């Protein structure tokens, strides 16, 4: 009899049946009652403590650590798993080598799990997941998560985790920190944007000038004692290779361009106009530059310019922090704006070839597709081989910004010796996904590791042999920490600051010869594949320490954080109610107290009109109040209320006839549900026509000299008298005697009466504030 297997039975252990397809899901053996009760108890405890997790991707270390903490995995549905395997977003994972480890000849590997874990996972299929760890940011919609659900991603991280985002946001560093991005981030431009493309062309030409000056200084053996020997050597070369010499005018042109650039940096172009060297033929200049620097052609009489070149370079050193790494060949590296693992990256040292990359691109969205960055031609080399450095850091909050720096990192070597004359990716790109396709060069130094990786401890041992171990702690590590914090600060307002999220990032650095770090890019989803002995040790350690920071410190503030060190924790900033560029001001008008408003009207002096006249005036104004509203509306509103106006005119036609004085002197206004009717009584005069026009009495047929002003206020007639609240006054009326003669003013800025402290046009505003 065959023994019964303790583990789960998979289809690999069962012979295939003809006509049936194999399933990749494990088949569970029979479970006894005792094990079922134990699994149910553990599941109930995990659900009560909200310890249900979901992991998408090849992260066995995360699964193991969560299960050791009492968490139960809720498996992803088969549809979501299929979408995960087929979906790929270039902006999501900076180096997802681990995703490829999930596949084996097109088949997904089945993780070996015991029957207890499989049973528990089946029990929590309907439960809510409280911890997500995914390799893709778009697997889970963060907007649908509750506040107590944790996920290992932030939304809108492309603001700094893509080449275009990092290029754009670091230009705003001056608003966040008193630092110059050119001191830690190589110059970068978007080739798809017309203005930045022109800025890059100017930078390329200027860099060609500075590189030419450095070439003259470095290759010349000029000195005060050996000046004659230099001239003699140049004369001999001239006799032997007449066609191999270029005129020294190219150096003079480079000096004039550099001087003009310094004048602009010193703001000498503010008060006076500095003419750009128009006599520089850039096409011919660049061709001569290529011949001198790339092809090794000599410059006739170049030795006499050495002192001037040295003096100019000393001035440029003070204002150009990247002059030491620019080198002589003017190499630029062209990167797709949102691709990872070194795909599509190329190095070019000629302007026309760089521009041709974008010009030949037929895509519409060129602005965010191509990025060109100055290549560091003088990096720190180890045994003559180039390397870069992968540094992890963890962000657990964006407000306040909380950043954790990992104490360990690793180095990635190229397979070929370093050379600026060969622009092949095997020499200049250190990504493991690129270098694994190349065989190490035969002439490479034997001390360079075969797997092209070093740990941080191995690199520090190398520095100790060079007598530079102290510079790692005083220059390199602080420089990397500052670069990371500054990059995050510039994107802080763009990333979604969800409190239940965290994210582990991988930053790529290159070191200059002075051990200063230069930030190249920042990647989301850094690779966790254990491809070498170095990553087999470091990648599991950084995942375990990440869970210590994210989970253990939630329950214990003094919990051990492993290799993570807190390097930034800002003061919390209160988020404003509204963000954006809309600067509209909202508010309400100020209203005087009700008692003051009523007193201002009731205490107005009455004219000699009798109460019977006031009542008749009020009845007339009530019937004609619909006409009044039309006089206060603009042209557009008047058109929209055309039908209503017709009805009002029909109702107003039923009003009793008025005297000629009233027909000639009525001036109407209405605001906010109130109606105001002003009647001016006066006598005819030859000079009164101008006064009546000033008062707004344009419809009067006879010119009048106003003697007194009568007004009547009534509620909006959309409310019937029977529907008005009790105690509400139906109308307010009064009369104001006017002094004679009236002084004429173009805008009626002076009050009409000492007791009435408002000009006549403002009379319509007064009833607006009445309640």
């Amino acid at each position: 009899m065959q023994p019964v297997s303790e583990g789960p039975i998979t289809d690999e252990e069962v012979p295939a049946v003809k006509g049936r397809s194999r399933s990749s899901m494990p088949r569970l053996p029979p479970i006894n009652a005792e094990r079922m009760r134990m699994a149910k108890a553990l599941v109930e405890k995990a659900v009560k403590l909200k310890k249900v997790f979901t992991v998408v991707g090849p992260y066995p270390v995360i699964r193991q650590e969560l299960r050791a903490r009492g968490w139960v995995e809720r498996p992803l549905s088969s549809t979501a798993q299929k979408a995960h395997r087929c979906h790929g977003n270039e902006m999501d994972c900076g180096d997802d080598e681990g995703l490829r480890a999930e596949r084996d000849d097109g088949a997904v590997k089945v993780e070996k799990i015991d029957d207890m874990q499989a049973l528990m996972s089946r029990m929590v299929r309907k439960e809510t997941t409280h911890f997500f760890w995914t390799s893709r940011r778009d697997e889970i919609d963060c907007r649908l998560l509750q506040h107590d659900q944790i996920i290992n991603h932030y939304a809108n991280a492309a603001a700094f985790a893509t080449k275009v985002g990092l290029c754009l946001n670091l230009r705003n560093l001056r608003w966040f920190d008193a630092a110059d991005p050119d001191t830690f981030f190589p110059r970068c431009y978007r080739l798809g944007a017309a203005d930045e493309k022109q800025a890059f062309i100017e930078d390329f030409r200027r860099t060609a000038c500075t590189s030419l000056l450095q070439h003259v200084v470095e290759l010349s053996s000029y000195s005060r004692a050996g000046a004659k020997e230099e001239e003699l050597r140049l004369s001999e070369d001239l006799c032997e290779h007449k066609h191999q010499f270029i005129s020294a005018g190219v150096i003079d042109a480079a000096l004039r361009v550099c001087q003009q650039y310094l004048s602009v940096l010193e703001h000498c172009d503010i008060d006076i106009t500095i003419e750009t060297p128009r006599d520089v033929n850039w096409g011919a200049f660049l061709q001569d530059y290529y011949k001198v620097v790339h092809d090794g052609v000599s410059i006739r009489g170049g030795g006499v310019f050495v002192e001037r070149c040295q003096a100019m370079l000393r001035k440029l050193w003070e204002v150009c922090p990247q002059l030491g790494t620019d080198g002589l060949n003017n190499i630029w590296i062209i990167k797709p704006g949102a691709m990872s693992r070194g795909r599509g990256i190329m190095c070019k040292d000629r302007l026309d070839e760089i521009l041709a990359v974008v010009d030949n691109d037929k895509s519409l969205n060129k602005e965010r597709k191509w990025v060109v960055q100055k290549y560091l031609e003088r990096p720190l080399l180890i045994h003559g081989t180039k390397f870069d450095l992968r540094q992890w850091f963890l962000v657990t909050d964006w407000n306040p910004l909380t950043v954790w720096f990992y104490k360990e990192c690793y180095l990635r070597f190229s397979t070929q010796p370093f050379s600026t004359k060969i622009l092949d990716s095997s020499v200049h790109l250190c990504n493991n996904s690129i270098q694994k396709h190349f065989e190490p060069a035969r002439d490479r130094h034997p001390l360079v590791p075969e797997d092209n990786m070093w740990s941080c401890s191995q690199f520090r041992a190398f520095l100790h042999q060079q007598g530079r171990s102290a510079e790692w702690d005083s220059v390199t590590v602080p420089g990397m920490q500052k670069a990371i914090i500054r990059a995050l600060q510039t994107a802080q307002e763009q990333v979604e600051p969800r409190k239940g999220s965290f994210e582990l990032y991988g930053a790529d650095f290159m070191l200059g010869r002075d051990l200063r770090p230069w930030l190249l890019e920042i990647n989301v989803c850094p690779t966790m594949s254990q491809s070498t002995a170095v990553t087999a040790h470091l990648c599991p350690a950084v995942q375990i320490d990440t869970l210590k920071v994210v989970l253990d410190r939630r329950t214990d503030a003094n919990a051990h954080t492993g290799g993570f060190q807190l390097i930034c924790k800002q003061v919390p900033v209160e988020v404003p109610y509204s963000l954006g560029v809309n600067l509209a001001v909202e508010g309400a008008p100020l209203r005087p107290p009700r008692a003051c408003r009523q007193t201002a009207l009731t205490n107005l002096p009455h004219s000699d009109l009798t109460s019977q006249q006031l009542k008749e005036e009020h009845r007339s104004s009530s019937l004609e109040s619909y006409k009044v509203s039309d006089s206060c509306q603009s042209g557009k509103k008047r058109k929209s209320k055309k039908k209503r106006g017709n009805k009002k005119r029909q109702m107003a036609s039923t009003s009793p006839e008025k005297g000629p004085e009233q027909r000639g002197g009525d001036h109407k206004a209405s605001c906010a549900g109130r109606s105001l009717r002003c009647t001016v009584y006066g006598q005819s005069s030859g000079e009164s026509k101008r006064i009546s026009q000033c008062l707004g009495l344009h419809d009067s047929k006879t010119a009048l000299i106003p003697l007194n002003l009568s007004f009547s206020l009534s509620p909006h007639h959309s409310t019937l008298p029977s529907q008005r609240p009790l105690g509400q006054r139906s109308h307010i009326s009064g009369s104001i005697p006017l002094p004679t003669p009236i002084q004429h003013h173009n805008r009626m800025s002076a009050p009409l009466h000492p007791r009435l402290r408002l000009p006549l046009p403002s009379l319509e505003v007064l009833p607006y504030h009445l309640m």
Side-chain angles (χ1 to χ4, degrees):
M1 180 180 295
Q2 297 292 337
V4 180
S5 176
E6 294 294 334
I9 301 176
T10 63
D11 290 329
E12 297 176 356
E13 303 174 4
V14 180
V17 181
K18 185 176 181 181
R20 295 185 182 181
S21 59
R22 290 185 177 182
S23 174
S24 60
M25 296 299 294
R27 296 174 56 188
L28 299 177
I31 305 298
N32 56 38
E34 181 65 24
R35 183 164 296 213
M36 178 72 73
R37 285 193 297 268
M38 184 183 301
K40 186 176 181 180
L42 293 176
V43 168
E44 290 178 353
K45 181 179 180 180
V47 172
K48 182 178 180 180
L49 297 177
K50 297 182 178 181
K51 289 187 175 183
V52 179
F53 73 94
T54 296
V55 173
V56 182
Y59 298 102
V61 177
I62 297 296
R63 290 185 172 93
Q64 181 181 353
E65 287 297 314
L66 289 175
R67 289 167 182 166
R69 288 172 167 82
W71 289 70
V72 179
E73 181 177 6
R74 176 177 175 264
L76 201 64
S77 62
S78 58
T79 304
Q81 289 181 1
K82 182 178 180 181
H84 168 73
R85 295 193 299 268
C86 298
H87 176 71
N89 190 343
E90 295 171 351
M91 296 179 59
D92 286 342
C93 292
D95 193 3
D96 55 358
E97 285 294 316
L99 297 180
R100 297 183 179 272
E102 191 181 12
R103 305 176 178 89
D104 184 19
D105 296 332
V108 180
K109 292 182 179 181
V110 179
E111 185 181 359
K112 299 296 183 179
I113 56 177
D114 54 34
D115 55 347
M116 177 67 75
Q117 293 293 337
L119 179 62
M120 294 169 62
S121 296
R122 186 175 181 84
M123 290 181 177
V124 296
R125 288 183 303 172
K126 304 296 184 181
E127 301 296 335
T128 301
T129 300
H130 289 89
F131 184 89
F132 291 94
W133 186 291
T134 70
S135 56
R136 302 284 185 183
R137 290 184 300 174
D138 54 357
E139 290 286 348
I140 307 296
D141 191 350
C142 296
R143 296 172 297 180
L144 304 180
L145 297 179
Q146 302 176 4
H147 68 279
D148 57 347
Q149 291 180 292
I150 306 173
I151 188 171
N152 67 323
H153 292 294
Y154 286 101
N156 301 332
F160 67 94
T162 60
K163 301 173 182 64
V164 174
L166 191 63
C167 173
L168 292 177
N169 283 284
L170 280 179
R171 298 175 185 175
N172 302 323
L173 180 61
R174 67 187 66 183
W175 303 108
F176 301 91
D177 197 336
D180 184 4
D182 288 345
T183 59
F184 64 91
F185 184 68
R187 305 188 300 278
C188 188
Y189 302 94
R190 294 177 300 159
L191 287 180
D195 54 342
E196 296 193 31
K197 180 180 179 180
Q198 182 61 34
F200 159 69
I201 294 175
E202 296 177 0
D203 194 340
F204 186 93
R205 293 170 176 173
R206 185 172 56 251
T207 306
C209 295
T210 58
S211 299
L212 183 63
L213 300 185
Q214 295 187 69
H215 175 81
V216 173
V217 173
E218 292 182 4
L219 298 185
S220 175
S221 59
Y222 177 84
S223 63
R224 294 184 182 273
K228 295 182 179 181
E229 297 179 1
E230 175 68 14
E231 293 294 334
L232 180 60
R233 185 181 64 84
L234 293 176
S235 299
E236 294 176 354
D237 293 339
L238 179 61
C239 296
E240 296 178 1
H241 309 283
K242 292 183 179 181
H243 63 283
Q244 296 294 331
F245 280 84
I246 292 178
S247 172
V250 66
I251 302 178
D252 183 67
L255 289 171
R256 286 187 284 110
V257 171
C258 293
Q259 182 58 50
Q260 188 268 342
Y261 177 66
L262 288 175
S263 300
V264 173
L265 293 181
E266 295 173 357
H267 307 293
C268 297
D269 58 336
I270 295 179
D271 298 329
I272 60 176
T273 301
I274 298 179
E275 294 292 339
T276 304
R278 300 178 181 270
D279 56 340
V280 177
N281 186 346
W282 285 111
F285 175 85
L286 291 179
Q287 292 301 322
D288 292 342
Y289 163 75
Y290 297 149
K291 293 179 181 179
V292 172
V293 176
H294 298 168
D295 302 333
V297 177
S298 301
I299 301 177
R300 182 184 298 110
V304 298
F305 289 91
V306 174
E307 288 187 355
R308 292 179 58 187
C309 293
Q310 289 176 339
M312 180 59 67
L313 289 175
R314 283 194 295 267
K315 296 179 181 179
L316 292 173
W317 269 101
E318 300 177 359
V319 295
C320 300
Q322 298 184 18
L323 187 62
T325 60
D326 282 348
L328 306 178
N329 293 272
N330 203 3
I331 302 175
W332 293 74
I333 184 168
I334 309 171
K335 306 177 181 179
M339 296 187 71
S340 60
R341 304 189 301 277
R343 294 173 294 174
I345 297 180
M346 61 192 77
C347 295
K348 301 290 183 181
D349 57 3
R350 294 179 182 266
L351 180 60
D352 54 347
E353 295 179 359
I354 297 175
L355 299 179
V357 173
V358 182
D359 296 338
N360 296 333
D361 187 5
K362 303 302 181 181
S363 62
L364 297 178
N365 190 15
K366 296 182 182 179
E367 184 174 351
R368 302 189 65 85
K369 184 173 182 180
W370 293 107
V371 169
V372 61
Q373 191 173 38
K374 186 63 185 73
Y375 183 77
L376 303 181
E377 300 183 31
R378 292 176 173 172
L380 178 66
L381 302 178
I382 297 179
H383 303 306
T385 307
K386 180 187 173 182
F387 69 94
D388 67 3
L389 188 148
R390 167 60 61 89
Q391 176 65 57
W392 290 299
F393 65 94
L394 176 68
V395 178
T396 56
D397 201 346
W398 282 93
N399 187 19
L401 181 61
T402 308
V403 186
W404 301 79
F405 187 84
Y406 203 62
K407 65 179 181 180
E408 295 288 340
C409 61
Y410 63 92
L411 278 64
R412 303 178 298 189
F413 291 89
S414 62
T415 56
Q416 311 297 321
F418 180 76
S419 174
T420 57
K421 300 298 182 181
I422 303 175
L423 302 182
D424 192 79
S425 58
S426 61
V427 178
H428 303 285
L429 301 183
C430 300
N431 302 63
N432 185 53
S433 57
I434 298 294
Q435 295 297 331
K436 69 180 182 180
H437 299 292
F438 300 103
E439 292 292 334
R442 296 180 179 179
D443 56 344
R444 194 175 69 159
H445 199 281
L447 294 181
V448 178
E450 294 183 0
D451 56 4
N452 301 321
M453 281 193 186
W454 262 9
S455 65
C456 179
S457 58
Q458 291 175 300
F459 179 58
R460 298 187 66 175
F462 170 80
L463 293 178
H464 181 72
Q465 295 176 358
Q466 304 292 325
R468 309 180 66 180
S469 58
E471 297 180 48
W472 171 261
D473 296 324
S474 61
V475 178
T476 306
V477 173
M480 290 191 295
Q481 294 177 352
K482 292 179 181 179
I484 290 172
I485 294 174
R486 290 164 180 169
L488 299 180
Q489 285 177 336
T490 57
Q492 187 173 3
E493 296 181 356
Q494 303 179 40
V495 181
E496 185 67 28
R498 185 179 180 274
K499 291 299 181 181
S501 298
F502 69 95
E503 191 153 10
L504 180 67
Y505 301 98
D508 292 340
F509 289 92
M510 281 188 63
L511 301 184
R513 295 178 181 178
D514 54 358
L515 286 181
R516 281 200 309 165
W518 293 90
L519 177 63
L520 301 181
E521 60 183 13
I522 297 177
N523 300 291
V524 296
C525 301
T527 176
M528 292 298 158
S529 62
Q530 303 175 18
S531 56
T532 64
V534 175
T535 54
H537 168 69
L538 293 180
C539 290
V542 70
Q543 296 178 72
I544 295 173
D545 294 343
T546 299
L547 295 180
K548 291 180 180 178
V549 176
V550 175
L551 297 180
D552 297 350
R553 292 189 77 256
R554 283 178 171 262
T555 56
D556 183 8
N558 298 322
H560 184 55
T561 59
F564 280 106
Q565 172 190 1
L566 183 64
I567 62 172
C568 177
K569 187 175 179 61
Q570 293 179 341
V571 178
V573 178
E574 183 178 357
V575 179
Y577 175 75
S578 177
L579 297 176
V581 296
N582 186 7
L583 302 180
V585 179
E586 298 180 359
L590 296 177
R591 298 182 178 183
R594 184 179 181 88
C596 297
R597 295 197 302 270
Q598 294 180 353
T599 305
L601 292 177
T602 56
N603 292 341
L604 290 176
H606 293 268
S607 64
D608 53 355
L609 293 176
T610 62
S611 60
Q612 184 65 24
Q613 290 176 326
L614 292 176
K615 291 180 180 179
E616 293 177 359
E617 185 68 21
H618 170 63
R619 284 195 299 268
S620 176
S621 63
S622 300
L623 294 175
E624 296 185 4
S625 61
Y626 288 100
K627 289 184 178 181
V628 176
S629 61
D630 285 340
S631 63
C632 294
Q633 302 293 335
S634 62
K636 292 184 179 180
K637 294 183 178 180
R638 194 173 299 144
K639 291 180 180 179
S640 64
K641 297 183 179 180
K642 182 177 181 180
K643 295 183 179 180
R644 190 188 304 177
N646 295 335
K647 183 178 180 181
K648 293 178 181 179
R649 283 191 290 272
Q650 293 177 2
M651 297 179 62
S653 63
T654 59
S655 60
E657 293 185 5
K658 296 177 288 186
E661 305 87 12
Q662 298 176 353
R663 287 196 303 268
D666 287 352
H667 182 63
K668 311 168 186 69
S670 174
C671 298
R674 296 280 181 171
S675 61
L676 170 64
R677 181 175 182 272
C678 300
T679 305
V680 180
Y681 299 88
Q683 299 176 355
S684 301
S685 173
E687 299 181 357
S688 64
K689 186 175 182 180
R690 182 179 57 182
I691 299 177
S692 61
Q693 292 179 353
C694 182
L695 292 175
L697 308 178
H698 303 293
D699 57 344
S700 61
K701 298 180 180 180
T702 59
L704 302 176
I705 298 178
L707 300 178
N708 54 49
L709 179 65
S710 175
F711 65 90
S712 176
L713 300 176
S714 61
H716 199 280
H717 284 262
S718 61
T719 304
L720 299 178
S722 60
Q723 297 177 355
R724 299 171 187 165
L726 296 177
Q728 179 176 349
R729 299 180 61 179
S730 61
H731 70 278
I732 301 176
S733 60
S735 179
I736 304 173
L738 301 177
T740 56
I742 296 180
Q743 300 294 331
H744 175 257
H745 297 281
N746 291 334
R747 296 191 177 184
M748 295 297 294
S749 59
L752 298 178
H753 193 271
R755 298 289 299 274
L756 181 61
R757 302 186 182 275
L758 293 175
L760 183 60
S762 301
L763 195 61
E764 63 181 20
V765 180
L766 184 60
Y768 175 75
H769 299 294
L770 294 177
M771 299 302 294

